[in-house]
Amino acid sequence: MKKLRSVCKTNFFVLGIIIASLFFGKPAKAVTVANLQNVKIIGHYFTTGIISSKRMIYTKNPSNSRYLVLLISATLPDAEGKLFNNDFMLGYIHDDDSEDRSRCSAIAISETIDPEKLFDLSEFALGDYSWIKVNGGELRFGLAFYIESDVETINLYRLCAPEPITYRIGRDRLYSVDIFTNVDARYLARAKDAIQKGSYNIVEASESLVSDESGITIHYREQAESQAREISQRLTTVFGKLTTLKKMKLISAVDIVVWLGK
């Protein structure tokens, strides 16, 4: 009798698995950084800090250090799962020939692979063991690392990857700017041209500003206040309008965000 009960329990357990698979589908395949293929660094920019809905990270002295945001493209076989920030690390050499490392501070997924929307990243996940959800196919994601000003070339190490990816970031540490407008493309182009002439890095320029926003508002990080005021002067000259400056409270991964309202 005991043996019969054991067999029955086993049969019911197997039947339960079959029913669960019918109703809920196949279990998701686990993904690690080792599953990524054709991994490439396709762009970068610098920022003095990153704000998420829960946390903030920032540099105290931008002349000595910044956060480097790397845009990564990769292919993932048919699977879904998570990528963790601590699966990635930078290695580099300082001017005095000393070797150094930097852990990944933040990670974000891109909702598109459109080449016209290079840095269209979602909100960064900050902190130890932060992660993003990924699905199979082509994908893009961003990684942020604290890095000193004397670094010119970096090596991106990935968990389980035999060789790092070498990438040159150069010496320039341009302040990063996003521009959003609800007017038109020509209005956006005029602002973009004026700001770029001041040696700023335009990370994103879009006509996606909410329709009821009016006037010119410049949101800035405390570490980029003087740069925001310089941009304000440039836009006032171009458009003949006074600008409003506000300390950054937006969820953002750039130094300065410009709203060009109608």
Side-chain angles (χ1 to χ4, degrees):
M1 182 64 70
K2 288 182 179 179
K3 185 176 180 181
L4 179 60
R5 286 176 180 174
S6 176
V7 171
C8 289
K9 288 180 180 179
T10 301
N11 289 339
F12 277 117
F13 179 72
V14 173
L15 181 61
I17 293 177
I18 294 173
I19 293 173
S21 66
L22 290 174
F23 278 93
F24 300 107
K26 296 180 180 179
K29 297 178 182 178
V31 171
T32 69
V33 69
N35 298 111
L36 296 178
Q37 301 174 1
N38 306 316
V39 182
K40 298 177 183 177
I41 302 174
I42 59 174
H44 77 281
Y45 69 88
F46 296 95
T47 183
T48 57
I50 297 173
I51 300 175
S52 74
S53 57
K54 298 180 180 179
R55 297 186 60 182
M56 176 174 62
I57 56 176
Y58 61 92
T59 57
K60 294 182 179 180
N61 190 342
S63 62
N64 292 336
S65 61
R66 301 285 179 93
Y67 280 96
L68 167 67
V69 177
L70 297 176
L71 183 65
I72 312 296
S73 69
T75 303
L76 182 66
D78 186 20
E80 62 179 26
K82 298 176 182 178
L83 290 180
F84 288 83
N85 67 326
N86 53 7
D87 290 340
F88 301 89
M89 179 178 288
L90 289 189
Y92 47 87
I93 304 295
H94 289 289
D95 280 344
D96 61 2
D97 292 328
S98 62
E99 189 176 3
D100 209 347
R101 295 286 186 272
S102 178
R103 295 183 299 173
C104 182
S105 301
I107 187 169
I109 191 68
S110 174
E111 303 297 337
T112 178
I113 58 171
D114 185 345
E116 298 297 321
K117 299 178 180 179
L118 200 60
F119 280 97
D120 189 12
L121 298 170
S122 63
E123 179 182 340
F124 270 90
L126 307 177
D128 296 335
Y129 311 108
S130 55
W131 54 271
I132 54 173
K133 182 179 179 181
V134 291
N135 297 308
E138 294 183 45
L139 61 97
R140 286 182 186 165
F141 56 94
L143 304 172
F145 300 87
Y146 181 90
I147 196 163
E148 296 81 0
S149 59
D150 64 343
V151 179
E152 188 169 349
T153 301
I154 54 97
N155 290 308
L156 176 64
Y157 291 91
R158 295 166 289 143
L159 190 68
C160 301
E163 298 292 334
I165 300 173
T166 301
Y167 181 79
R168 186 178 183 277
I169 59 175
R171 291 284 184 176
D172 292 335
R173 300 290 191 263
L174 302 183
Y175 284 83
S176 51
V177 182
D178 281 348
I179 313 173
F180 301 99
T181 189
N182 55 17
V183 185
D184 55 41
R186 290 177 298 176
Y187 200 75
L188 185 65
R190 290 173 65 192
K192 185 176 178 180
D193 180 64
I195 294 172
Q196 284 180 324
K197 285 179 178 177
S199 297
Y200 296 97
N201 183 12
I202 307 296
V203 177
E204 184 178 0
S206 168
E207 297 171 57
S208 59
L209 184 64
V210 293
S211 59
D212 59 350
E213 191 67 36
S214 61
I216 301 176
T217 305
I218 300 175
H219 304 264
Y220 65 91
R221 298 191 186 283
E222 186 175 351
Q223 299 88 343
E225 181 175 355
S226 61
Q227 288 72 26
R229 294 190 181 281
E230 200 269 342
I231 287 175
S232 172
Q233 293 174 356
R234 289 178 174 275
L235 296 181
T236 297
T237 300
V238 170
F239 296 109
K241 296 181 179 180
L242 294 177
T243 64
T244 300
L245 286 97
K246 294 183 177 181
K247 285 189 177 182
M248 184 82 75
K249 293 184 179 179
L250 307 175
I251 294 174
S252 175
V254 297
D255 295 307
I256 297 167
V257 177
V258 178
W259 288 354
L260 298 171
K262 55 191 175 184

